[in-house]
């Protein structure tokens, strides 16, 4: 069946696109549109409507064609043909008009959209810029500031807002085809001249040289390390200062530059990684999903409360269980505070916030969880307590309910064994703050059923999380790797570096925060408490935690006590260097017989990132993660790893596995084999001369 059809409806030629799932602009679609527009120039039609079948208008260029030999017509060429049509073309938008999709609509002469439609230019999220005239046409309609905001955030806007800023001409209700035909007939009746966006001028009063300089400065902060946003600003400047055709040339040159950049390669990898991570390799296609209509949550602390918000935000009622009325009230107050913050930022109305909170019922009685379809335990991180909770759940919950633990370290198999239904037990590891962080690590126990795994993946999608599947091991994918990263940060501190230096190196690399600043944010007490009760052997080498423990013993628990690896301003939370910390570090080095030396930034970076990568390889060889890209998803969405480097495993391929392997071997010689043993899979791939991507695709 053809992806483009063309039909006369009275005086109007209707071009219908049908390229599921999202009408991406594949070669077939581009050629089909070009043929239809060409054919329409000589037929009886007086105007044309361009619209899509299926769930959405065009979602953009076909990303799977990127990097392949170009096939004509290219999108920019097609859009020149579209705009040059001698008959008016009306784009009729439903769903989402994104990237090249919106650019296609902008090359039409008029645009109407359903109220539920959204439009946007998300290219920046792929390390790109709108490359089919978008950077030149949008500012001609909206002015400079709105155009820059649209392109540098990549966030879609609703039809009403698009109308407001001049991006579309009309919001239409009811049946889209009839509304678009009416609109086309109006245009014909008015005998209006063709409205070509390229003929318009950019409003010169909307931007000055100072405005651009200021915008660049804020971009450098907001999108630290990313190149595409700055190229977008260059394009908009060209739109302001040069004729349309010249501006198009600037856009083309910078688009090609972006397309060839390593950042775009990494972000395109992340685009597909994010979608791939919800696919479970060995699940039978006909696996039944369970219906999740009511959710119980045990524990109303920071985590439990955040988890509850995820569900009520999508209309699923929650029963929140705590040990006492007081604890319950504290939990509800915390949730109320969170919603109040969202309201104060203008992201939610008071009515909606109240409605959502009303969907949370408090209880102190386990019997009230009897009818829940899913129960998530979010109590203290202690195996015995968790086992007791699950034994109680086993007694009260209906058969078939999913029993999930939010544990970040504990053995899900042992938790499952405390019930008579291990097939229904799974780990759903949310990240703090749970109402904000996108990652959901789904931990599949040895006996977890296919239905429970598949339903958990579907739950993640319904609450707008990005899932990644892990098998059971200590710390699962994310925290298991993090231990090695944190270990190297501690050792670098002891051996010669400073918190501010290590954090600066990692932030420059692109991490959202450096490891010591993260330690202060999370609380230095967490690691200390986790080590309490462990034998020396279980705790591991004292050099990997002696500084943290010394700070803990001084009452420096991090941000919450105003001091940790740094000092914090009580009002602003601004951090500053504290000389006391250096004294602690030096004293510990002396005590452990470590001679402090200068450590180069490069060595710090390699020690921290290669520690992550080497453990990532072990996680793959043990089958803990399904695929390398799932590890990338975990790190990009849960740990602030820069998406423009594609996650640690993609980064490994860009560095080269041979280099990583040899460096890890050198580190083993220099810093000790107890910390550095190259993963067998890493060694194997180096011997076979393969990249990780090749291994994953084989
Ligand atoms: C661009 O336009 C450049 C131009 O400026 C210049 C060119 C010269 N291509 O997300 P979903 C697949 S750059 C190919 O799960 P949803 C996706 O992989 C592009 N495939 O659905 C998935 O496949 P699978 C700018 C695409 O309902 C399936 O469709 N546009 C594309 O949650 C379903 O996707 C964008 O960046 C694509 N463009 O969300 C928009 N888009 O089933 C990217 C999707 O095999 N797309 N697929 O896993 C989106 O944001 C979301 O897909 C959308 C639907 C909101 C549309």
């Amino acid at each position: 069946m053809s992806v483009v059809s063309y039909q006369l409806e009275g005086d109007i030629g209707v071009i219908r696109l049908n390229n599921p799932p999202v009408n991406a602009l594949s070669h077939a679609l581009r050629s089909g549109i070009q043929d239809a527009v060409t054919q329409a120039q000589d037929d009886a039609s007086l105007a044309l409507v361009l619209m899509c079948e299926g769930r959405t208008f065009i979602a953009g260029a076909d990303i799977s064609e990127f990097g392949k030999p170009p096939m004509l017509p290219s999108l920019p060429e097609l859009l020149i043909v579209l705009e040059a049509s001698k008959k008016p073309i009306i784009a009729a938008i439903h769903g989402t008009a994104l990237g090249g999709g919106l650019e296609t609509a902008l090359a039409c002469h008029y645009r109407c959209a359903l109220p539920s439609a959204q439009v946007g230019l998300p290219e920046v999220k792929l390390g790109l810029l709108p490359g089919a005239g978008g950077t030149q046409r949008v500012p001609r309609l909206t002015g400079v500031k709105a155009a820059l905001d649209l392109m540098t955030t990549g966030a879609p806007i609703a039809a009403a807002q698009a109308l407001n800023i001049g991006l579309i001409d009309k919001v239409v209700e009811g049946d889209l085809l009839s509304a678009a035909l009416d609109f086309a007939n109006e245009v014909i009746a008015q005998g209006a001249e063709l409205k070509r966006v390229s003929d318009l001028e950019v409003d010169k009063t909307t931007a000055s040289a100072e405005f651009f300089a200021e915008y660049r400065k804020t971009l450098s902060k907001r999108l630290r390390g990313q190149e595409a946003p700055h190229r977008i600003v260059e394009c908009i400047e060209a739109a302001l200062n040069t004729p349309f055709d010249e501006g198009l040339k600037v856009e083309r040159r910078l688009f090609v530059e972006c397309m060839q950049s390593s950042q775009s390669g990494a972000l395109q990898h992340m685009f597909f990684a994010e979608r791939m991570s919800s696919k479970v390799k060995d699940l039978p296609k006909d696996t039944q999903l369970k219906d999740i209509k009511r959710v119980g949550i045990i524990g109303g602390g920071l985590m439990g409360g955040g988890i509850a918000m995820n569900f009520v935000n999508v209309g699923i009622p929650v029963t929140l269980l705590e040990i006492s009325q007081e604890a319950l009230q504290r939990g509800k107050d915390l949730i109320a505070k969170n919603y109040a913050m969202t309201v104060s930022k203008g992201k939610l109305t008071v009515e909606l916030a109240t409605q959502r909170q009303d969907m949370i019922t408090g209880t102190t009685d386990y019997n009230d969880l009897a009818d829940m379809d899913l129960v998530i335990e979010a109590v203290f991180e202690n195996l015995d307590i968790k086992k007791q909770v699950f034994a109680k759940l086993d007694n009260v919950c209906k058969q078939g309910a999913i029993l999930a633990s939010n544990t970040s370290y504990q053995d899900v198999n042992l938790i499952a064994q405390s019930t008579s239904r291990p097939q229904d037990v799974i780990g759903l590891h949310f990240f703090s703050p749970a109402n904000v962080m996108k990652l959901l690590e789904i931990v599949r126990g040895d006996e977890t059923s296919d239905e429970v795994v598949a339903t958990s993946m579907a739950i993640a999608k319904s609450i707008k999380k990005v899932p990644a599947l892990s098998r059971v091991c200590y710390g699962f994918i994310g925290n298991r790797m993090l231990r090695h990263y944190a270990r190297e940060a501690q050792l670098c501190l002891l051996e010669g570096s400073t918190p501010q230096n290590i954090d600066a190196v990692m932030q420059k690399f692109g991490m959202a925060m450096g490891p010591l600043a993260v330690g202060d944010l999370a609380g230095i007490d967490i690691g200390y408490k986790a080590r309490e009760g462990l034998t020396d052997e279980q705790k591991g080498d004292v050099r990997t935690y002696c500084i943290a423990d010394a700070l803990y013993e001084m009452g420096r628990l991090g941000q919450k006590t105003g001091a940790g690896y740094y000092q914090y301003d009580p009002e602003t939370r601004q951090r500053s260097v504290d000389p006391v910390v250096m004294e602690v570090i030096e004293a510990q080095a002396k005590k452990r017989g470590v001679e402090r030396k200068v450590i180069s930034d490069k060595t710090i970076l390699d020690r921290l990132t290669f520690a992550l990568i080497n453990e990532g390889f072990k996680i793959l060889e043990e089958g803990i993660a399904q695929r390398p890209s799932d590890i990338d998803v975990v790190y990009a969405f849960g740990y602030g790893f820069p998406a423009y480097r594609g996650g640690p495993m993609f980064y490994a391929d860009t560095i080269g596995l041979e280099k990583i392997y040899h460096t890890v071997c050198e580190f083993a010689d220099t810093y000790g084999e107890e910390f550095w043993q190259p993963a067998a899979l890493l060694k194997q791939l180096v011997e076979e001369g393969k990249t990780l991507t090749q291994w994953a695709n084989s």
Side-chain angles (χ1 to χ4, degrees), residues 93-122:
I93 301 170
H94 76 291
T96 42
L98 297 178
L102 177 56
E103 291 176 297
T104 303
L106 294 172
C108 295
H109 307 96
Y110 297 91
R111 287 156 290 283
C112 63
L114 289 178
S116 56
Q118 294 197 319
V119 305
L121 292 165

Side-chain angles (χ1 to χ4, degrees), residues 21-22 55 59-63 100 103 122-123 130-131 271 275 279 461:
V22 295
R55 66 191 211 222
D62 187 338
I63 302 169
E103 291 176 297
E123 286 88 344
F271 177 86
R275 279 150 186 88
K279 299 185 170 76
K461 176 136 186 155

Side-chain angles (χ1 to χ4, degrees), residues 160 430 462 550 661 697:
F430 290 80
S462 74
Y661 174 70
N697 294 337

Side-chain angles (χ1 to χ4, degrees), residues 33 81 107 174 328 461 543 592:
I33 299 172
V81 171
L328 203 51
K461 176 136 186 155
R543 288 173 293 171
R592 315 285 162 200

Side-chain angles (χ1 to χ4, degrees), residues 299-313:
L302 199 62
M303 208 61 199
I307 297 173
M309 289 172 75
N310 284 303
F311 287 96
V312 294
N313 287 350

